[in-house]
Amino acid sequence: AYPLGLTQGARVAVFLREVTDRKRADQDAAFLLYLADQMRLCAGDPDALVTAALRSLRAHLGTDRARLTEVDVEARRSRVIHEVAAGNLPPGGPGQSIQPIDSPALQRLASGRAWVVEDVGREPAAGALVRAHSDTRAFVVAPLLRGG
């Protein structure tokens, strides 16, 4: 704050600078460095690598769960391969039953683009992916396509 004027009716000028985007970019860069370090430490142990990556991602995004899910597009089914969850959540990871996926959800996944759903109630295609976990209200999907 800077004073304006020297008289009894003086005013104060306040200058603000938005730093949210820069702070978020710094946090993202730090996360990527941390993740790279974790991956180096787990080299040669695929299970430890997946666990470290999911744990890091869950912490960075502030989510309750992070999962690695395999989707069979031809069979229209998915199954959880690996999961990391907050300590107070019931398990729902590997061995979870295979879930059917409807066509709109498959189309989104097959596109290979990230899919961010902030409210599953407002996105009909999202329902097929969260059917097994009725407590899921939002999610982020980053598809990794074989041969693509």
Side-chain angles (χ1 to χ4, degrees), residues 54-55 57-59 61-68 80 82-94 96 132-136 138-140:
L54 291 176
R55 191 173 287 139
L57 185 62
R58 187 184 82 74
L61 296 176
T63 64
D64 292 331
R65 297 181 194 270
R67 291 189 179 128
L68 176 60
V80 175
H82 204 93
E83 177 183 79
V84 173
N88 61 339
L89 293 176
Q96 177 180 317
H133 294 280
S134 60
D135 62 336
T136 301
F139 64 85
V140 175

Side-chain angles (χ1 to χ4, degrees), residues 25-36:
D26 290 347
Q27 290 171 338
D28 289 347
F31 164 71
L32 292 174
L33 285 172
Y34 177 78
L35 185 58

Side-chain angles (χ1 to χ4, degrees), residues 34-57:
Y34 177 78
L35 185 58
D37 287 343
Q38 292 298 304
M39 294 178 111
R40 274 191 293 278
L41 292 172
C42 298
D45 186 347
D47 286 335
L49 188 132
V50 170
T51 299
L54 291 176
R55 191 173 287 139
S56 300
L57 185 62

